[in-house]
Amino acid sequence: MLSLATVGFAVNFWAWALLSPLGPRFKDSLDLSSFEQSLLVAVPVVVGSLGRIPVGALTDRYGGRVMFPIVSAATIVPVLYLGLAGHDSLAALLIGGFFLGIGGTAFAVGVPLVNAWFPPARRGLAIGVFGAGMGGTAISALTTVKLVDAGDMATPFLITAAVLAVYAAVAALLLRDAPGRTVPTEPLGRRLATTARLPITWQASALYAVAFGGYVAFSVYLPTYLKTGYGLTQADAANRMAGFVILAVAMRPIGGWLSDRLGPVRVLAGSLGVVVLGALVQSFTPPLAPLGTIAFLAMAAALGAGSGATFALVALLTPGNQVGSVTGVVGAAGGLGGFLPPLVMGSLYGEYGTYAAGLVLLAVVATAALIYTLTGVRAAAEGDGAPKARGGRRAEARTADTTA
């Protein structure tokens, strides 16, 4: 089930990220401004992020077995539209990008599905492995431009739509929810209100907006940054972005694994510290080889590990029957955290001709998140909420042992 969920996450994220590698090409062919190009790649991010809130709550109610095939099948429609008809104007691209955001909601389906299948002591690693499915953005980065060059603009979209169709069929046949899954009976609105009252919802949202938001922002904007700031070709910039994504993806399960052993607060604090340092170094626009590359790869590793640690914290402090709802809100915050930076970077570059101010802002935000992690989040993880959560985990573990 973990493998099926991870593949599904990767396939949907592949579709979700199709516009990003083509951003520079659309800028040239449609004569877009820096802000318009940033808006183009950011729209799927914000829609996929906000959509996680209802999709996560629906997954709590109906389960991943129902929701994964539905989300995957629904994503086929905008993918085909963009490939066949919706790439000749900015308006058409924005409409297609809006509905392409459906693919981004798959995250809120997979986390509660995976969480229910694993005992508490292994959830950090399991959810981290699932989170590695965000590497679907690397598939897009490595293949989209090459497929357009080898065929035409429709080629990558048609291939992705076919893969989504195959996965939706396989998931409908093989995917299963964990035995004994607790199904909430309250109405959707009441469950979301209950979720909003949980402190972990907002604590994890703030941290994920920085950790995963930073990853999303770089994954969609890095090709533009490298092409504009360093004069790289579109293909070279896309390949380097893929390297950033692959490292972040590899570090996400490691962040979850370390959180199972060291605690998520320590992992988050270390990760955010690395982001602060990397952003400050890169704000001086050092030569790409080696210092700029080192700074970006260090931030990639830290953002991946921090994303994994955030959901280890969610698994630690969230009641089992509300994981989907909390995941939806936290996932939305992460995606929204990735929506604003490309717009800010594009606007600042258009105004000042440099990305330095945007990177300094990232360092400031990461510093604030680091301070919050070491104060409020640590108090929640080690204070009144932690014994209750740990007690809940022991009870869940006993139930799982009895069931086995």
Side-chain angles (χ1 to χ4, degrees):
M1 295 304 108
L2 174 59
S3 298
L4 278 172
T6 303
V7 170
F9 183 28
V11 169
N12 279 277
F13 253 44
W14 175 11
W16 194 39
L18 279 171
L19 291 180
S20 173
L22 298 172
R25 180 166 301 204
F26 288 132
K27 181 181 181 180
D28 294 338
S29 64
L30 300 177
D31 194 25
L32 304 181
S33 67
S34 294
F35 178 81
E36 287 172 334
Q37 181 186 354
S38 302
L39 182 64
L40 172 64
V41 299
V43 163
V45 173
V46 70
V47 175
S49 302
L50 292 175
R52 292 174 187 176
I53 298 175
V55 168
L58 288 169
T59 302
D60 278 340
R61 177 67 179 86
Y62 297 105
R65 181 187 181 187
V66 171
M67 294 302 297
F68 241 133
I70 288 176
V71 167
S72 301
T75 305
I76 295 172
V77 178
V79 169
L80 288 176
Y81 165 77
L82 285 166
L84 298 176
H87 54 260
D88 294 329
S89 69
L90 177 61
L93 285 167
L94 291 176
I95 292 171
F98 180 91
F99 291 100
L100 193 65
I102 295 171
T105 67
F107 179 73
V109 179
V111 170
L113 173 73
V114 171
N115 187 79
W117 273 105
F118 284 84
R122 297 173 60 197
R123 284 178 182 164
L125 176 59
I127 294 175
V129 170
F130 166 76
M134 67 187 190
T137 55
I139 300 174
S140 178
L142 289 169
T143 63
T144 303
V145 174
K146 293 182 177 66
L147 288 171
V148 170
D149 291 339
D152 56 24
M153 184 60 70
T155 303
F157 295 91
L158 293 175
I159 292 173
T160 307
V163 175
L164 281 166
V166 171
Y167 177 77
V170 171
L173 292 172
L174 300 180
L175 202 61
R176 297 289 182 271
D177 292 305
R181 183 179 72 88
T182 302
V183 180
T185 56
E186 293 180 322
L188 177 61
R190 187 178 301 172
R191 282 188 283 127
L192 290 175
T194 301
T195 299
R197 291 193 291 270
L198 291 173
I200 182 59
T201 302
W202 306 112
Q203 292 162 351
S205 293
L207 296 174
Y208 205 57
V210 179
F212 186 71
Y215 162 80
V216 170
F218 279 122
S219 68
V220 300
Y221 198 70
L222 198 54
T224 300
Y225 175 93
L226 293 173
K227 185 174 184 292
T228 305
Y230 286 96
L232 300 185
T233 65
Q234 182 181 354
D236 192 12
N239 287 338
R240 290 174 185 268
M241 186 269 271
F244 180 98
V245 168
I246 289 169
L247 181 56
V249 167
M251 287 301 297
R252 183 156 183 159
I254 293 175
W257 177 76
L258 287 172
S259 296
D260 285 340
R261 283 149 182 79
L262 304 177
V265 171
R266 291 181 180 178
V267 179
L268 279 163
S271 299
L272 291 167
V274 172
V275 172
V276 172
L277 182 60
L280 288 175
V281 169
Q282 191 56 37
S283 68
F284 293 97
T285 317
L288 201 55
L291 192 55
T293 299
I294 293 172
F296 273 119
L297 292 181
M299 285 192 288
L303 293 169
S307 298
T310 302
F311 271 92
L313 189 71
V314 170
L316 176 69
L317 298 178
T318 305
N321 64 344
Q322 292 177 276
V323 171
S325 298
V326 172
T327 295
V329 176
V330 176
L336 291 175
F339 171 73
L340 291 176
L343 299 180
V344 172
M345 295 286 276
S347 297
L348 289 174
Y349 186 85
E351 184 69 23
Y352 302 108
T354 177
Y355 290 115
L359 288 157
V360 170
L361 282 175
L362 171 60
V364 170
V365 171
T367 299
L370 174 59
I371 294 170
Y372 181 54
T373 298
L374 295 174
T375 54
V377 176
R378 172 175 284 173
E382 299 176 356
D384 293 339
K388 185 184 298 184
R390 285 194 292 267
R393 282 182 162 208
R394 286 193 295 269
E396 289 181 44
R398 286 195 298 270
T399 301
D401 290 342
T402 302
T403 302

